[in-house]
Amino acid sequence: MLVVAIFFSYSVYSSSSATSPAKDFLNNFQEILPADESFKFSVFQIEDRIILSWELKENCFLYEDKFEIKPFPEIDIEIRTEETPILISDEYFGEVEVFFNKVTKTFDLNKITEKVLVKYQGCNERGFCYPLISKYLIVDKGNISINKGT
């Protein structure tokens, strides 16, 4: 169990136009959406083609190099990305390519594939970065469902 305590020290001052650092921090923290709302993930299957899609909230982005798509049993797959990433200067990772608004990745499903691990990571432009997100796609008789990964 992780417990985080944050203490703020400030003087008592009352003014209608004044804001405290603590109040600003808490307001910004309350505006942070859960990862599944910031990066709405969905999966579709058309014949043997799997389409992974992420709809990103405004001011949120996903890192190009943090995507991992791995079928089990392990086989080589060709993953195609429809959108072109944008190069940004990131305060945590330096010069990186990211996707805003939407990301679509596709690959062909192999008959022996039982599940697919999908990992991704992103941030919002306010400087809040989400931890690495993992999901498993379960393949059962040609139907695909999403299970949250560990």
Side-chain angles (χ1 to χ4, degrees):
M1 180 174 173
L2 175 66
V3 178
V4 177
I6 300 174
F7 298 96
F8 293 98
S9 173
Y10 61 94
S11 60
V12 178
Y13 175 75
S14 178
S15 170
S16 60
S17 63
T19 60
S20 72
K23 187 175 181 180
D24 290 344
F25 174 80
L26 292 173
N27 284 339
N28 285 336
F29 184 74
Q30 289 173 347
E31 293 173 8
I32 303 298
L33 296 173
D36 286 341
E37 288 181 42
S38 294
F39 316 114
K40 290 188 180 185
F41 175 66
S42 57
V43 60
F44 305 96
Q45 182 175 357
I46 300 176
E47 297 176 3
D48 288 338
R49 176 162 299 284
I50 304 300
I51 303 164
L52 308 176
S53 178
W54 290 264
E55 296 291 330
L56 285 61
K57 286 287 188 182
E58 185 177 356
N59 299 320
C60 291
F61 58 88
L62 290 171
Y63 293 103
E64 203 319 321
D65 66 346
K66 300 296 181 188
F67 280 97
E68 180 182 347
I69 300 170
K70 183 176 177 182
F72 294 96
E74 289 188 47
I75 57 171
D76 288 333
I77 59 174
E78 180 186 343
I79 300 166
R80 293 171 287 288
T81 305
E82 287 186 27
E83 297 77 14
T84 303
I86 298 168
L87 185 66
I88 66 166
S89 180
D90 184 87
E91 65 181 289
Y92 302 106
F93 300 113
E95 297 290 316
V96 292
E97 293 183 320
V98 299
F99 296 97
F100 285 94
N101 303 318
K102 182 179 181 180
V103 182
T104 308
K105 294 188 173 280
T106 63
F107 62 94
D108 293 330
L109 183 63
N110 187 292
K111 302 281 188 229
I112 65 169
T113 301
E114 298 172 3
K115 65 182 173 180
V116 179
L117 173 63
V118 178
K119 292 183 179 182
Y120 53 97
Q121 184 178 20
C123 299
N124 67 30
E125 290 185 310
R126 291 190 177 140
F128 179 82
C129 286
Y130 294 88
L132 189 64
I133 300 162
S134 297
K135 307 236 184 234
Y136 278 101
L137 308 180
I138 307 300
V139 181
D140 184 26
K141 299 178 185 173
N143 295 320
I144 297 199
S145 60
I146 302 172
N147 286 347
K148 184 176 180 178
T150 55

